Amino acid sequence: PRRGAPGGGGGGGGGSRQLSVLLETLCASDDIVDRRALCVLPGSFAWEVYVDVLVLTSGGNLLDSVSLALCAALSETILPKVEVIEAMEEGEVVQLRVDDRPEVGAAFPLRRLPLCVTVAQLGRQFLFDVTSDEELCADAMLCVVVDAKTGEVVGLHKLGRGLFDLASLPAMLQRCRASAAALMMQLDRELAFKGQPM
């Protein structure tokens, strides 16, 4: 059977659309991405950014895994240098000259590096990286967005049904920060390894 839960381990159709909207809401706001830096010529040209993720299998929380992939992709993205060539005569269109050499490009304009850490509450216990089956048993779910650059919590989103125990929120947020830091250390190691010559 397919499951379409936003954090869960699979599903297509509506579930993937729901996941996409949730990720865009949590990870693509103006305080995360510098949208002005994506503008090439105000009112005419701007970078339009899409991130496609192909999930082959998921043994943990899909929302967290996709946000980690998003962090990796965007932190490695180089935007080509674009020069605007103004029209010389009336009726002539503005043209763009693109220099796609990576060394002259600019890094993708991320103000923050948003990493989702989803927490499931089961009784008095908190579970991280839950599978879709574990989600079904959870009393409540919360997605915590941590800026992987600073460790600051930049967003919270309640998932599904149930009530979260607010008294344990400070300790749980601290664990989310630690989890995000560990994930980013591992991602940095992988990206550094990828960059080494073979």
Side-chain angles (χ1 to χ4, degrees):
R2 300 181 121 187
R3 293 187 179 90
S16 62
R17 178 71 187 137
Q18 187 179 8
L19 178 64
S20 178
V21 169
L22 183 57
L23 277 168
E24 186 170 350
T25 302
L26 295 173
C27 300
S29 63
D30 288 334
D31 62 327
I32 303 282
V33 176
D34 182 0
R35 293 178 191 265
R36 288 187 189 269
L38 293 174
C39 186
V40 176
L41 180 63
S44 298
F45 298 106
W47 287 103
E48 190 169 5
V49 181
Y50 294 94
V51 177
D52 292 323
V53 178
L54 175 62
V55 178
L56 300 175
T57 186
S58 177
N61 187 274
L62 189 57
L63 176 61
D64 297 359
S65 299
V66 171
S67 79
L68 184 62
L70 183 70
C71 285
L74 293 181
S75 65
E76 292 288 302
T77 297
I78 302 293
L79 298 176
K81 180 180 178 185
V82 178
E83 181 183 349
V84 177
I85 303 168
E86 295 292 336
M88 300 300 264
E89 296 179 19
E90 190 177 319
E92 213 176 57
V93 292
V94 174
Q95 294 184 3
L96 301 177
R97 181 178 297 143
V98 179
D99 185 343
D100 60 359
R101 293 175 296 158
E103 63 272 11
V104 297
F108 187 82
L110 283 173
R111 291 183 170 133
R112 300 174 185 265
L113 201 55
L115 186 59
C116 296
V117 179
T118 303
V119 184
Q121 181 178 345
L122 188 61
R124 294 179 181 256
Q125 300 296 314
F126 292 102
L127 306 175
F128 292 80
D129 196 27
V130 293
T131 65
S132 55
D133 289 334
E134 291 168 331
E135 279 184 30
L136 295 174
C137 300
D139 299 324
M141 301 271 299
L142 184 68
C143 175
V144 178
V145 184
V146 178
D147 178 2
K149 292 180 179 180
T150 64
E152 180 185 354
V153 173
V154 296
L156 296 171
H157 185 82
K158 171 78 175 61
L159 300 170
R161 67 196 192 312
L163 300 173
F164 223 82
D165 178 15
L166 292 180
S168 53
L169 193 62
M172 186 266 303
L173 290 178
Q174 193 60 33
R175 286 186 58 196
C176 288
R177 286 186 193 99
S179 178
L183 284 170
M184 280 315 296
M185 283 177 52
Q186 183 177 352
L187 179 61
D188 287 343
R189 277 195 306 269
E190 292 297 323
L191 292 176
F193 179 75
K194 180 196 90 160
Q196 292 178 353
M198 293 192 169

Coordinates of all heavy atoms in Angstrom, one line a residue, residues 52 155 157 186:
D52 N 14.4 18.7 -8.4 CA 13.8 17.4 -8.5 C 14.5 16.4 -7.7 O 15.7 16.3 -7.7 CB 13.8 17.0 -10.0 CG 12.9 17.9 -10.9 OD1 11.8 18.3 -10.4 OD2 13.3 18.1 -12.0
G155 N 12.1 27.4 12.1 CA 10.7 27.1 11.8 C 10.3 25.9 12.5 O 11.0 25.0 12.9
H157 N 6.7 23.2 12.3 CA 5.5 22.8 11.6 C 4.9 21.6 12.2 O 5.5 20.5 12.2 CB 5.7 22.6 10.1 CG 4.5 22.4 9.3 ND1 3.7 23.4 8.9 CD2 3.9 21.3 8.9 CE1 2.6 22.9 8.3 NE2 2.7 21.6 8.2
Q186 N 28.2 15.1 8.6 CA 28.3 13.9 7.7 C 28.1 14.4 6.3 O 28.9 13.9 5.4 CB 27.2 12.9 8.1 CG 27.2 11.7 7.3 CD 26.2 10.7 7.7 OE1 25.5 10.8 8.7 NE2 26.1 9.6 6.9

